Amino acid sequence: MTTIPQPAERLRQHLAEAMAKDAGSKAFMKSGTAWDHARSEWLAHADAAVNALHRSEKGDR
């Protein structure tokens, strides 16, 4: 698992919530442990996006 740069944590959370909302998921609109798995899946997607952005800023491929 790649580590998210600390300043990007807010971006990660925002992306996860925005992607979930756009897809019609209520993962971040509901509370409780029943939604933990759904939230973790959206956060994984956001991790991939943030890491790709971070790599492109560094010039990595």
Side-chain angles (χ1 to χ4, degrees):
M1 178 177 185
T2 306
T3 303
I4 301 294
Q6 191 59 29
E9 183 59 36
R10 288 184 62 199
L11 174 61
R12 172 189 185 246
Q13 186 70 29
H14 180 76
L15 281 172
E17 290 181 28
M19 287 188 288
K21 183 179 178 183
D22 191 54
S25 172
K26 295 183 179 167
F28 291 94
M29 297 169 66
K30 303 284 185 172
S31 61
T33 57
W35 290 94
D36 286 351
H37 178 72
R39 284 188 287 269
S40 70
E41 291 296 320
W42 288 112
L43 287 165
H45 288 296
D47 289 344
V50 170
N51 281 316
L53 178 62
H54 182 69
R55 284 190 308 272
S56 71
E57 287 176 346
K58 289 176 34 182
D60 297 345
R61 290 187 178 221

